[in-house]
Amino acid sequence: MNPSTALLTDRYELTMLDASLRDGSADRRCVFELFARRLPGARRFGVVAGTGRLLELIRDFRFGDDELRFLRDEKVVAAATLDYLEGYRFTGSITGYREGELYFPGSPILTVEGTFAEAVVLETLALSVLNHDSAIATAAARMSVAAGDRPLAEMGSRRAAESSAVAAARAAYIAGFGATSNLEAGRRWGIPTMGTAAHSWTLLHDSEEAAFRAQVDALGVGTTLLVDTYDISEGVATAVRVAGTGLGGVRIDSGDLPTVAADVRAQLDELGATQTRITVTSDLDEFAIAALAASPVDAYGVGTSVVTGSGSPTAGMVYKLVARQDSAGGWVAVAKASTDKGSRGGRKAAFRTLDGGTATSELIAVSDGFEELETSASHPDARALQVPLVTDGTPDAGYEGAPGVEAARRHHARVREELPVRALALSRSDPALPTVYVDAD
């Protein structure tokens, strides 16, 4: 039995639930939608991540004795509401974008359908997962674009909270990174792990040579030696002397990387270590990686920037009520009209239009009613973006666990190929695809 996730929420969700049970609106059928009004950092596309994690957390969204005792002691809700929460199970349905999918402003990333009581309490959980993971995945995708065919490793655990670090490693892997230094991410999600030694290993020993010999003895000549603890040129010479010309790799973690990488490559070649790979780290982000495109670098290790969203630590998504039943049982589209925070009411179906395999728009059909929405007949080149994630309260296990992560990674690689070339630029800009709304009625 996993720990309950029911209190990973904000108090006002339960006070709204409490009031709705009092006035009789708790059982009113509703449609909530999770979307982003804009892309953070003026980026050209976003990447959906965290969906599989969210489904697992919804499975454990139960109010046990400890949770109910806390709510009772703190007088958060009335006794009748505690009775309701004791038997709480989400029995509705959730559709949404597949994990790894691209999204744009207004994309209905998640659509949660159920009673007001059971859907409103999922708001904070859904937003906390998708806002964090999608921000990481979007940054990671941009780094992957900048890196091209060169592999990327995520190594930012020490720059994030412990649980966030595991989630960040997962999101980065989905969006194009090939490995992580985080062992829990490897155990939980099946992500390849990597890592050899830090500067403390060299400082522990009486000499750099002694440190290198001990590492090679333990890990073999295919290991990667960190050569910048002292003097880089001397470190490279020592590394090759110890491991021979078959040395697997050297890592550089400081200095003017384009210049240093060129010097190290020349020195390795001169020493006969022509197959020794160069990995660079040192506070990389997508712009630094792009600047190294012409340098003789073989791989990148990224820490702080990827686990913090490279300047945009949240995706800025919101969770809004977009349709509800009225007192007579009919469906009504509802929307917030606040300045700069407005939303578009109605149930939605999302499609990506394509021209010769290249994406041209985010097409969103909107209905005031509750009937099934369909636009593929009128737009035969449009790819449907939404899939069932939870049906009658049961999450689709195919999106969970390590298999779900691998499926999301494959899906992301496939859909990123649909982007027009202009979407791959790193500069600030409008979204690469326009969001087009059409009336489905």
Side-chain angles (χ1 to χ4, degrees):
M1 180 72 70
N2 294 326
S4 169
T5 61
L7 294 187
L8 298 178
T9 190
D10 289 314
R11 179 168 176 148
Y12 72 75
E13 291 171 19
L14 295 189
T15 57
M16 285 190 289
L17 167 64
D18 188 72
S20 71
L21 289 170
R22 290 173 185 271
D23 74 1
S25 60
D27 290 333
R28 185 171 289 183
R29 301 289 297 179
C30 292
V31 178
F32 283 85
E33 183 182 299
L34 186 148
F35 64 95
R37 295 189 178 95
R38 59 191 66 86
L39 298 178
R43 291 170 175 172
R44 303 185 182 211
F45 63 88
V47 179
V48 177
T51 313
R53 287 208 309 120
L54 176 62
L55 296 183
E56 293 183 6
L57 294 169
I58 288 175
R59 286 183 185 277
D60 298 322
F61 199 91
R62 306 284 188 267
F63 291 84
D65 292 342
D66 289 344
E67 289 76 31
L68 294 170
R69 185 181 303 109
F70 171 79
L71 296 176
R72 182 182 300 109
D73 292 347
E74 295 297 315
K75 298 180 173 57
V76 175
V77 294
T81 303
L82 291 173
D83 291 340
Y84 171 85
L85 292 175
E86 185 175 11
Y88 176 88
R89 300 291 186 273
F90 180 73
T91 63
S93 298
I94 301 177
T95 59
Y97 283 32
R98 286 186 59 176
E99 191 161 16
E101 184 61 76
L102 308 178
Y103 74 90
F104 298 89
S107 295
I109 296 166
L110 281 186
T111 301
V112 181
E113 303 174 12
T115 66
F116 178 80
E118 64 183 354
V120 71
V121 296
L122 298 181
E123 174 182 356
T124 299
L125 186 66
L127 287 175
S128 63
V129 171
L130 291 179
N131 266 321
H132 173 268
D133 290 22
S134 298
I136 306 307
T138 300
R142 286 161 55 86
M143 294 173 192
S144 176
V145 167
D149 294 333
R150 296 172 178 175
L152 288 158
E154 182 279 317
M155 45 198 305
S157 295
R158 64 195 65 189
R159 301 291 188 258
E162 62 278 9
S163 296
S164 297
V166 181
R170 180 184 182 279
Y173 181 67
I174 286 171
F177 277 57
T180 178
S181 64
N182 189 288
L183 291 176
E184 178 59 21
R187 183 191 72 86
R188 189 180 304 179
W189 306 112
I191 302 171
T193 60
M194 49 70 64
T196 52
H199 291 102
S200 59
W201 175 252
T202 302
L203 296 170
L204 169 69
H205 291 80
D206 292 337
S207 68
E208 188 173 53
E209 180 171 345
F212 287 175
R213 287 194 183 281
Q215 184 175 329
V216 170
D217 287 345
L219 301 177
V221 296
T223 190
T224 297
L225 297 175
L226 181 58
V227 296
D228 73 334
T229 303
Y230 305 117
D231 179 82
I232 293 176
S233 178
E234 290 184 11
V236 170
T238 301
V240 175
R241 184 171 65 253
V242 168
T245 56
L247 173 63
V250 296
R251 178 162 74 94
I252 307 167
D253 190 49
S254 60
D256 178 29
L257 293 180
T259 300
V260 173
D263 291 344
V264 169
R265 181 75 271 160
Q267 184 179 5
L268 287 169
D269 291 347
E270 183 178 349
L271 293 171
T274 57
Q275 301 303 308
T276 298
R277 295 163 58 82
I278 298 175
T279 296
V280 296
T281 50
S282 188
D283 294 326
L284 296 179
D285 61 12
E286 61 265 49
F287 302 105
I289 292 170
L292 287 163
S295 298
V297 171
D298 297 292
Y300 306 98
V302 187
T304 302
S305 289
V306 68
V307 300
T308 59
S310 195
S312 295
T314 177
M317 296 171 181
V318 295
Y319 184 93
K320 299 299 177 186
L321 182 65
V322 295
R324 61 167 175 82
Q325 284 184 317
D326 60 22
S327 56
W331 281 95
V332 179
V334 295
K336 184 176 177 179
S338 307
T339 303
D340 296 329
K341 290 191 173 183
S343 57
R344 205 174 270 262
R347 189 167 179 265
K348 302 175 183 70
F351 302 82
R352 187 152 302 142
T353 59
L354 303 167
D355 182 3
T358 300
T360 56
S361 74
E362 194 84 341
L363 181 67
I364 301 177
V366 185
S367 172
D368 287 340
F370 199 64
E371 69 277 2
E372 290 295 322
L373 299 172
E374 181 60 61
T375 68
S376 58
S378 56
H379 298 276
D381 294 328
R383 177 171 67 85
L385 296 172
Q386 294 154 300
V387 297
L389 298 171
V390 178
T391 302
D392 297 330
T394 302
D396 187 333
Y399 297 108
E400 300 177 35
V405 171
E406 287 297 334
R409 178 178 167 85
R410 291 193 301 269
H411 184 70
H412 174 72
R414 183 167 59 251
V415 300
R416 204 164 80 188
E417 291 296 319
E418 295 176 352
L419 283 172
V421 173
R422 66 179 180 277
L424 304 180
L426 300 179
S427 57
R428 295 171 64 89
S429 180
D430 292 333
L433 301 184
T435 301
V436 179
Y437 293 93
V438 296
D439 188 352
D441 295 333

